[in-house]
Amino acid sequence: MDPTFTLADPTGAEQYPALPPTTGHFIGGEFRAGSSNSRIDVINPATETVITTVVAGTAADVDDAVAAATIAQRGWGRTTPRHRSEILHRIADVVADNRAALAALESWNTGKPTSVAEDDISSAIDTFRFMAGAARAITSMAGGQYAAGNTSLILREPVGVVGVITPWNYPLLMAAWKIAPILAGGNSVVLKPSEQTPLTTLRLAELLADIVPVGVLNIVTGFGSDVGNRIAAHPDISLVALTGSVRSGQSVAETAGMTLKRVHLELGGKAPVLVLPDADLKAVARGVRVSGFWNSGQECGAACRIIVHESVAQQLVDHLVREVGTLTVGPPSGGIDIDIGPLVSRAHYERVVSFLARAKQAGARTAIGGHTFDGPGYYIAPTVLVDVTRDSEAATSEAFGPIVSVETYTDLEEAIERANATQYGLAASVWTTDAGHAMRIPTELDFGTVWVNSHLVLANEVPWGGFKGSGYGRDLSLYALEDYTRTKHVMFNHEWNPPLTEQHH
Ligand code: NAD
């Protein structure tokens, strides 16, 4: 039975308790108009109305930002970890002081439910706090005499100016995931937010103008093809970090290759959820209700591909239909009860609608959901697809919407192979009550994160990032801080006889 989802509070989306931020590029500690008159509409996805417009930046604007960042980095990179830590704590404080306003602005621009936006802001605060601590606790191999008569010392240095390109699904949180370790490491930043969701990043720049030294944090708004591409190409940027699609990752890595700058990529995913016959099926369904549909499924680690043993498949689908049927769809103005908001844009909505149509054409059936709503707003009902065949598009391609597919398996080893046989390698989960399986299967799954009996639980202490087509480099944790620093070996010769030239051999 397919309960029809209805929209909660569809008209409330018109009123919103947030103000748009200053627009313009934030370069050298001030907002600047930039070199182009061209502007980009920023749309409220719940009403399809224009909130404001931002500047469509150019390569020349990136060059200005890099010039400011290069000068600022020289001083910033020489500050003590303690000093940078104090600034990161002040950033966390100011984000916390503006928590409600930032969450409201994020919801306004992305359509995401209040609960998701509030979680984003809380997580961002914790990222700044964690990196404030981590900045003072970097370790490396012990100094010592590794060559006779010489003492070695390992220095951890900033890499320089870091270029950052963020996506639209978690605009402020992804900015925080990059900015915090980059600043902690003594680097300066030139960041381009998604052209669709630049508002909280611009608000952050406003809030930090008096906290972060001039030129250390720079924001250039605009399209990937112009601003993003110049960030990847700029010779004075030492490392470019992108969170986005596989295609953008390929383009950035290719362009970055021309200057051999370092690349850090967090790309797409299609997380398998491997359900063994001994799993607690109610727990799986409760887990997928949240982790398959969080942020309307616009989540790179979403629990979107269930691979379940055939003997318990029908039981699991029954639990799933019951759990998913309790989700409430509506605009963020509907308050804390809303679970599923609109998708971020018309283009993305159309992409997901056609993904669904192709899945149905290929023989998949909707156990629940599968429909859209009369506008305005880019809403798609939370959907569970069954009878999904292995290797089909529905099983292996990222939908990035509120869609969870269910496929069955007979043989466990074949199921593990199937889970691994995609271009992605970001995240996976295994659901079992058998301790042996719980220990062994994660070692055989080719994914950067594997959860056992849960999904999509993150913490700032542990790394996040993928393998294969999901990219390389790690966000969060000390591993991110390592990614945004470079090691230098300094060797002290302390045997003055024989002379250096002879001793060399
Ligand atoms: P996208 O790749 O379209 O855009 C991401 C950013 O890259 C935007 O700022 C965009 O302007 C820019 N960009 C696009 N083309 C570019 C180019 N050629 N050169 C430089 N910059 C370019 O992705 P999106 O639609 O904003 O985000 C959705 C994607 O992000 C999904 O595939 C999702 O899985 C992925 N994602 C991954 C993670 C993760 O942690 N792995 C987190 C969030 C989102």
Side-chain angles (χ1 to χ4, degrees):
M1 180 67 192
D2 183 353
T4 310
F5 292 98
T6 51
L7 278 189
D9 194 29
T11 51
E14 295 297 343
Q15 307 102 37
Y16 222 74
L19 286 174
T22 314
T23 60
H25 309 303
F26 185 75
I27 297 175
E30 61 181 18
F31 280 91
R32 298 185 189 170
S35 64
S36 117
N37 291 325
S38 164
R39 299 190 71 93
I40 304 168
D41 286 346
V42 179
I43 310 284
N44 173 354
T47 57
E48 305 184 34
T49 53
V50 176
I51 298 171
T52 184
T53 63
V54 294
V55 183
T58 63
D61 299 327
V62 175
D63 293 356
D64 284 349
V66 174
T70 303
I71 294 168
Q73 197 276 325
R74 289 183 198 133
W76 179 247
R78 287 195 201 107
T79 58
T80 59
R82 173 180 170 169
H83 178 81
R84 297 199 291 273
S85 172
E86 280 166 2
I87 295 212
L88 285 162
H89 275 303
R90 288 182 64 196
I91 296 175
D93 290 343
V94 89
V95 174
D97 290 347
N98 290 274
R99 182 194 296 267
L102 283 164
L105 186 59
E106 197 73 299
S107 284
W108 196 20
N109 193 171
T110 61
K112 66 172 65 196
T114 306
S115 54
V116 179
E118 286 177 354
D119 186 79
D120 285 7
I121 308 304
S122 295
S123 302
I125 295 165
D126 195 48
T127 300
F128 285 114
R129 294 234 186 276
F130 174 81
M131 289 299 169
R136 303 179 72 173
I138 297 185
T139 54
S140 63
M141 67 180 275
Q145 293 190 36
Y146 298 100
N150 291 273
T151 295
S152 289
L153 176 69
I154 302 295
L155 298 180
R156 254 197 191 273
E157 298 185 342
V159 293
V161 178
V162 177
V164 174
I165 302 167
T166 55
W168 47 257
N169 58 346
Y170 298 102
L172 190 76
L173 184 58
M174 291 302 105
W177 280 20
K178 308 293 186 199
I179 293 170
I182 291 169
L183 296 195
N187 309 283
S188 58
V189 185
V190 175
L191 184 150
K192 186 198 91 64
S194 165
E195 59 277 17
Q196 297 172 65
T197 57
L199 301 189
T200 47
T201 308
L202 290 169
R203 172 63 40 83
L204 183 70
E206 278 175 13
L207 294 171
L208 301 187
D210 296 330
I211 295 177
V212 175
V214 166
V216 168
L217 173 65
N218 305 277
I219 313 292
V220 180
T221 56
F223 292 108
S225 49
D226 307 320
V227 175
N229 192 51
R230 181 60 183 157
I231 287 175
H234 200 295
D236 295 337
I237 289 184
S238 312
L239 186 157
V240 58
L242 166 92
T243 293
S245 61
V246 174
R247 191 162 355 138
S248 306
Q250 287 165 333
S251 166
V252 162
E254 192 179 342
T255 306
M258 298 305 291
T259 50
L260 289 174
K261 62 169 57 69
R262 281 165 60 178
V263 181
H264 186 284
L265 299 173
E266 303 285 354
L267 308 176
K270 176 86 176 179
V273 178
L274 196 54
V275 184
L276 274 62
D278 57 29
D280 176 342
L281 300 178
K282 282 189 186 161
V284 179
R286 279 198 306 271
V288 170
R289 177 189 184 276
V290 177
S291 58
F293 296 94
W294 186 254
N295 207 31
S296 307
Q298 301 169 121
E299 156 64 57
C300 43
C304 56
R305 181 191 185 190
I306 297 177
I307 306 177
V308 55
H309 191 266
E310 58 189 0
S311 64
V312 293
Q314 189 53 51
Q315 255 177 292
L316 177 63
V317 170
D318 292 345
H319 287 308
L320 271 174
V321 166
R322 202 183 49 252
E323 284 291 339
V324 173
T326 65
L327 291 168
T328 306
V329 185
S333 54
I336 209 75
D337 293 337
I338 303 292
D339 302 296
I340 306 277
L343 298 194
V344 75
S345 65
R346 171 149 302 276
H348 186 54
Y349 166 87
E350 283 169 1
R351 203 175 73 81
V352 178
V353 166
S354 65
F355 179 98
L356 256 181
R358 285 194 302 277
K360 288 183 198 165
Q361 236 167 26
R365 218 165 30 82
T366 49
I368 188 168
H371 61 92
T372 56
F373 299 86
D374 290 338
Y378 312 124
Y379 295 96
I380 297 179
T383 301
V384 176
L385 289 177
V386 293
D387 299 342
V388 170
T389 49
R390 63 187 65 180
D391 306 329
S392 63
E393 184 194 22
T396 57
S397 294
E398 186 180 44
F400 226 57
I403 300 173
V404 169
S405 67
V406 183
E407 51 191 296
T408 59
Y409 75 87
T410 312
D411 173 65
L412 180 58
E413 301 315 311
E414 182 275 330
I416 295 171
E417 251 174 58
R418 204 193 314 164
N420 284 335
T422 71
Q423 65 165 323
Y424 300 112
L426 185 61
S429 62
V430 183
W431 298 75
T432 178
T433 50
D434 178 282
H437 286 320
M439 291 301 287
R440 178 182 69 90
I441 295 172
T443 66
E444 298 190 3
L445 287 170
D446 218 3
F447 297 85
T449 296
V450 181
W451 291 279
V452 178
N453 293 325
S454 75
H455 199 111
L456 213 57
V457 180
L458 275 70
N460 272 292
E461 288 79 357
V462 285
W464 176 255
F467 301 146
K468 303 195 297 189
S470 295
Y472 42 83
R474 291 293 174 264
D475 281 326
L476 309 179
S477 80
L478 288 167
Y479 296 97
L481 198 47
E482 279 186 10
D483 283 354
Y484 296 116
T485 53
R486 62 183 192 187
T487 49
K488 180 183 282 175
H489 171 214
V490 183
M491 188 179 248
F492 301 88
N493 168 24
H494 42 73
E495 285 194 358
W496 299 102
N497 273 317
L500 249 184
T501 44
E502 287 170 33
Q503 184 184 318
H504 195 64
H505 305 284

